[in-house]
Amino acid sequence: MSFEVETPILNSPFQPPAEHWFIRPGHPPERRQGRRPALVFQPRDQPDPWDVASDPTLDRLPEYERAYGLRLVNLVRERLVRWQTDGRPGATRTTLELIRWWRREGRGQRLFFAQLEAAETLIFLREARSDYLQGIAIPRDEPGEDWRERGYTGFPRYACKMATGGGKTTVMAMVAAWSILNKVQDRANATYSDVVLVVCPNITIRDRLRELDPALGEASLYRTRDLVPPHLMPLLARGRVVITNWHVFEPQATDVGDVSARVVKTGVRTVIPERITIAERTTTARGRRYMTPQALEALASAGKLRVLSEHRDSDGRIISVDVERERYVESDTAVVARILGREVGGKQNLLVLNDEAHHAYRIRRDEGGDEGLYEGDEEEEFYREATVWVEGLDRVNKLRGINLCLDLSATPYFLGRVGRLTGRPFPWVVSEFGLIDAIESGLVKIPQLALQDTSGQERPDYFNIWDWIVEKKLTPAERGARKGSPKPEAILKYAHAPIALLAGQWRLAFEEWQSRKQDPCPPVFIIVCKNTAIAKVVYDWLAEDRSPAGIPSSGMPEWLNRDGRINAIRVDTRVVHETDRGEPGESGSKADEMRWMRFTLDTVGKSDWPRDGQGRALYPEDFADLAKKLGRPLHPPGRDVRCIVSVAMLTEGWDARTVTHIVGLRPFMSQLLCEQVVGRGLRRRVY
């Protein structure tokens, strides 16, 4: 039996939550007064209950099934309200002026309660009188013993959990303005910073976050969102905001030459353990290195790597080797100087804002325990990203000092391989406004799941299409070998029916949007696939009308790419990961098409470009030149896209507001991964 909440929205987005739905599996929803306590659900793939006695950040919640209270968040909430009621004792005049500006009556753009609470929580923890902070202890993020021995120390981190669509970027601007304005008016006060380092996971977000630069003046977020009074803008402009993605934290190699030339050894010598896969050509893909036997032998002979062990297949052939590779890379000083640039100079005491901060934490692979929530290449890439990101912050802290690091994420949890901590929230989470809160406040779309189908079962087959196909439908031959992947055509043989069923619902939405002229862009249907082979078969079936033997046509002419019109696109994993770096890559038509695909993906659901005061279109960097080179029109290339077949799960920062349907043709090993994928469709078209 399933129980549906008939009226999910209970609260105003601008006021503290006054009611909430109390929901338990197998019981009807219960409408309760007051705000839901801050809590976290234990992943269902972890059979043993969490040991609350050994984790001071969690409390048991007997009423909930597999849910634990966030002790620190609930304590901070209580103290914050008391501080606000008492007139915010300890706050500076600058801070009080900003808060009054944010909360004043008659604002053209009212701030959401979630945004005000997140920003004021941070301010409370930094400025409140000591009696309000008694008993509030926030754990520091300390590096491992090996890094501490090299002089690296921990730094204070606070995390705000905010659901996708809750307005995290605005919170970042509020915090940056608070810090810069207070520092400019009280230079001796080390509580504040006038240099803000904003770190994000990809160039999509980086380009969008440029609004945080005060140098943009009236075009900055501080004015477009009415966050700073006009008379304070000249003072705000004295601060510096550096916006970058995590890739720049990785020390760059300084070696000159290759195996056939003399190597000039400059910089810092490092010895890097690595696994190299033997392949027909030498290349690197998604953090993994592939090398021909000849190239491996040449590097070993030149002394650039040392083979530690070999791995062979059943026929005795070498398939991979573990090596130690010697590299000369930038010093910490060079890395930090490159990140911050000449404009910042040698300034100390930085404020760091980590956007999508669940990518940035310390992973210790030797802890054992759970394998994490990612698999294969995904897990390796996640491990590298988290490590490079946090170690980069360690370097910044060592040389310049991090005054405070604020993490923002919809899922501030340990997602990867961290042993017993897998699936738990960061212990420094101080504020929480999660997905259910956002739904009940009307901030996001209301997700709907497949609750019934023609099978008549209590749990419908289409509730989890991948499990239904792999576990119930595929033959052993179709499922592949023990470590193999299911055959793409076999997946589509069973997936085409639920896809067609949901596509029919998409068509109804498409026709309704057209008749009502609700949006100049069409609704968007997303299919997230396990690998590129499945994605190609699905894309050919939907976009090119090429059906494998025995599988009927999709019956969706609206998604066919015909007569020069692109209605459907296939987003390869490489497009996302390579273009996320934001660095010059290979040249030629293939690289140009990859960059164009990224522009297409980033403009899905956007009918026009933003414009300046004179009405001129503000194109992304290099877009106009690339459009001219490829002979493409200058409108947003993703404007007319109706269907996306993706492998890369459409990473954070992809904020299309027109997504209406999502199908998962991949395993989802945790509820957190489900939330991340569904998050790509949560943003409302209008509020």
Side-chain angles (χ1 to χ4, degrees), residues 532-562:
T532 54
I534 295 174
K536 184 179 187 306
V537 169
V538 172
Y539 174 81
D540 288 347
W541 175 62
L542 289 174
E544 306 296 337
D545 200 21
R546 293 199 294 266
S547 300
I551 297 176
S553 171
S554 70
M556 292 299 295
E558 297 92 342
W559 293 349
L560 293 177
N561 293 333
R562 289 180 174 173

Coordinates of all heavy atoms in Angstrom, one line a residue, residues 532-562:
T532 N 28.4 4.5 -22.1 CA 28.2 5.1 -23.4 C 27.6 4.1 -24.4 O 26.9 4.6 -25.4 CB 29.6 5.6 -24.0 OG1 30.5 4.5 -23.9 CG2 30.1 6.7 -23.1
A533 N 27.8 2.8 -24.3 CA 27.3 1.9 -25.2 C 25.7 1.9 -25.1 O 25.1 1.9 -26.2 CB 27.8 0.5 -24.9
I534 N 25.2 1.9 -23.9 CA 23.7 1.9 -23.8 C 23.2 3.3 -24.3 O 22.2 3.3 -25.0 CB 23.3 1.7 -22.3 CG1 23.7 0.3 -21.9 CG2 21.9 2.0 -22.1 CD1 23.5 0.0 -20.4
A535 N 23.9 4.4 -23.9 CA 23.5 5.7 -24.4 C 23.4 5.8 -25.9 O 22.5 6.4 -26.4 CB 24.4 6.7 -23.8
K536 N 24.4 5.2 -26.6 CA 24.4 5.3 -28.1 C 23.2 4.5 -28.7 O 22.5 5.0 -29.6 CB 25.7 4.7 -28.6 CG 25.8 4.8 -30.1 CD 27.1 4.3 -30.7 CE 27.2 4.6 -32.2 NZ 26.1 4.1 -33.0
V537 N 22.9 3.3 -28.1 CA 21.8 2.6 -28.7 C 20.4 3.3 -28.4 O 19.6 3.4 -29.3 CB 21.7 1.2 -28.0 CG1 20.4 0.5 -28.4 CG2 22.9 0.3 -28.5
V538 N 20.3 3.9 -27.2 CA 19.1 4.6 -26.9 C 19.0 5.9 -27.7 O 17.9 6.2 -28.3 CB 19.1 5.0 -25.4 CG1 17.9 5.9 -25.1 CG2 19.0 3.7 -24.5
Y539 N 20.1 6.6 -27.9 CA 20.1 7.8 -28.7 C 19.7 7.5 -30.2 O 18.9 8.2 -30.8 CB 21.4 8.5 -28.6 CG 21.6 9.7 -29.5 CD1 21.0 10.9 -29.2 CD2 22.2 9.6 -30.8 CE1 21.2 12.0 -30.0 CE2 22.3 10.7 -31.6 CZ 21.8 11.9 -31.2 OH 21.9 13.0 -32.0
D540 N 20.3 6.5 -30.7 CA 20.0 6.1 -32.1 C 18.5 5.8 -32.3 O 17.9 6.1 -33.3 CB 20.9 4.9 -32.6 CG 22.4 5.3 -32.8 OD1 22.6 6.5 -32.8 OD2 23.2 4.4 -32.9
W541 N 18.0 5.1 -31.3 CA 16.6 4.7 -31.3 C 15.7 6.0 -31.3 O 14.7 6.1 -32.0 CB 16.3 3.8 -30.2 CG 14.9 3.4 -30.0 CD1 14.1 2.7 -30.8 CD2 14.1 3.6 -28.8 NE1 12.9 2.4 -30.3 CE2 12.8 3.0 -29.1 CE3 14.3 4.2 -27.6 CZ2 11.8 3.1 -28.1 CZ3 13.3 4.3 -26.7 CH2 12.0 3.7 -26.9
L542 N 16.0 6.9 -30.4 CA 15.1 8.0 -30.2 C 15.3 9.2 -31.2 O 14.4 9.8 -31.7 CB 15.3 8.6 -28.8 CG 14.8 7.8 -27.6 CD1 15.2 8.4 -26.3 CD2 13.3 7.6 -27.7
A543 N 16.6 9.5 -31.5 CA 16.9 10.7 -32.2 C 17.1 10.4 -33.7 O 16.9 11.3 -34.5 CB 18.2 11.4 -31.6
E544 N 17.6 9.2 -34.0 CA 17.9 8.9 -35.4 C 16.9 7.9 -36.0 O 17.1 7.5 -37.2 CB 19.3 8.4 -35.5 CG 20.4 9.3 -34.9 CD 20.4 10.7 -35.6 OE1 20.0 10.7 -36.8 OE2 20.9 11.7 -35.0
D545 N 16.0 7.4 -35.2 CA 15.0 6.4 -35.7 C 15.6 5.1 -36.2 O 15.2 4.5 -37.2 CB 14.1 7.0 -36.8 CG 12.8 6.2 -36.9 OD1 12.4 5.5 -35.9 OD2 12.1 6.3 -37.9
R546 N 16.7 4.7 -35.5 CA 17.4 3.4 -35.9 C 17.2 2.5 -34.8 O 17.8 2.5 -33.7 CB 18.9 3.7 -36.1 CG 19.2 4.5 -37.3 CD 20.7 4.3 -37.7 NE 21.6 4.8 -36.7 CZ 22.1 6.1 -36.7 NH1 21.8 6.9 -37.7 NH2 23.0 6.4 -35.8
S547 N 16.2 1.5 -35.0 CA 15.8 0.6 -34.0 C 16.6 -0.7 -34.1 O 16.7 -1.3 -35.2 CB 14.3 0.3 -34.0 OG 13.6 1.5 -33.8
P548 N 17.1 -1.3 -33.0 CA 17.7 -2.6 -33.1 C 16.6 -3.6 -33.5 O 15.4 -3.4 -33.4 CB 18.2 -2.9 -31.7 CG 18.3 -1.5 -31.1 CD 17.3 -0.7 -31.7
A549 N 17.1 -4.8 -34.0 CA 16.1 -5.8 -34.5 C 15.2 -6.2 -33.3 O 15.6 -6.5 -32.2 CB 16.9 -7.1 -34.9
G550 N 13.9 -6.3 -33.7 CA 12.9 -6.7 -32.7 C 12.3 -5.6 -31.8 O 11.5 -5.9 -31.0
I551 N 12.8 -4.4 -31.9 CA 12.4 -3.3 -31.1 C 11.6 -2.3 -31.9 O 12.2 -1.8 -33.0 CB 13.6 -2.6 -30.4 CG1 14.3 -3.6 -29.5 CG2 13.1 -1.4 -29.6 CD1 15.5 -3.1 -28.8
P552 N 10.4 -2.0 -31.6 CA 9.6 -1.1 -32.4 C 10.2 0.4 -32.4 O 11.0 0.7 -31.5 CB 8.2 -1.1 -31.8 CG 8.5 -1.5 -30.3 CD 9.7 -2.4 -30.4
S553 N 9.8 1.2 -33.3 CA 10.1 2.6 -33.3 C 9.7 3.3 -32.0 O 8.7 2.8 -31.4 CB 9.5 3.3 -34.5 OG 9.7 4.7 -34.5
S554 N 10.4 4.3 -31.6 CA 10.0 5.0 -30.4 C 8.6 5.7 -30.5 O 8.0 5.9 -29.5 CB 11.0 6.0 -30.1 OG 11.0 7.1 -31.0
G555 N 8.2 6.0 -31.7 CA 6.9 6.7 -31.9 C 7.0 8.1 -31.4 O 5.9 8.7 -31.0
M556 N 8.2 8.7 -31.3 CA 8.3 10.1 -30.9 C 8.9 11.0 -31.9 O 10.1 11.3 -31.9 CB 9.2 10.1 -29.6 CG 8.5 9.5 -28.4 SD 7.0 10.3 -27.9 CE 7.6 11.9 -27.4
P557 N 8.2 11.4 -33.0 CA 8.8 12.2 -34.0 C 9.2 13.6 -33.5 O 10.1 14.2 -34.1 CB 7.6 12.4 -35.0 CG 6.3 12.1 -34.2 CD 6.8 11.1 -33.2
E558 N 8.7 14.0 -32.3 CA 9.1 15.3 -31.7 C 10.6 15.3 -31.3 O 11.2 16.3 -31.1 CB 8.3 15.6 -30.5 CG 6.8 15.8 -30.8 CD 6.0 14.4 -30.6 OE1 6.7 13.4 -30.6 OE2 4.8 14.5 -30.5
W559 N 11.2 14.1 -31.1 CA 12.6 14.0 -30.7 C 13.5 13.7 -31.8 O 14.8 13.6 -31.6 CB 12.7 12.9 -29.6 CG 12.0 13.2 -28.3 CD1 11.4 14.4 -28.0 CD2 11.7 12.3 -27.2 NE1 10.8 14.4 -26.7 CE2 11.0 13.1 -26.3 CE3 12.0 11.0 -27.0 CZ2 10.6 12.5 -25.1 CZ3 11.6 10.5 -25.8 CH2 10.9 11.2 -24.8
L560 N 13.1 13.5 -33.0 CA 14.0 13.1 -34.1 C 14.7 14.4 -34.6 O 14.2 15.5 -34.6 CB 13.2 12.6 -35.3 CG 12.5 11.2 -35.1 CD1 11.7 10.8 -36.3 CD2 13.5 10.1 -34.7
N561 N 16.0 14.1 -34.9 CA 16.9 15.2 -35.4 C 16.8 15.2 -36.9 O 17.3 14.3 -37.6 CB 18.3 15.0 -35.0 CG 18.5 15.2 -33.5 OD1 17.8 15.9 -32.9 ND2 19.5 14.5 -32.9
R562 N 16.0 16.1 -37.5 CA 15.8 16.1 -38.9 C 15.8 17.5 -39.5 O 15.5 18.5 -38.7 CB 14.4 15.5 -39.3 CG 14.3 14.0 -39.1 CD 13.0 13.5 -39.4 NE 12.9 12.0 -39.3 CZ 11.8 11.3 -39.5 NH1 10.6 12.0 -39.6 NH2 11.8 10.0 -39.4

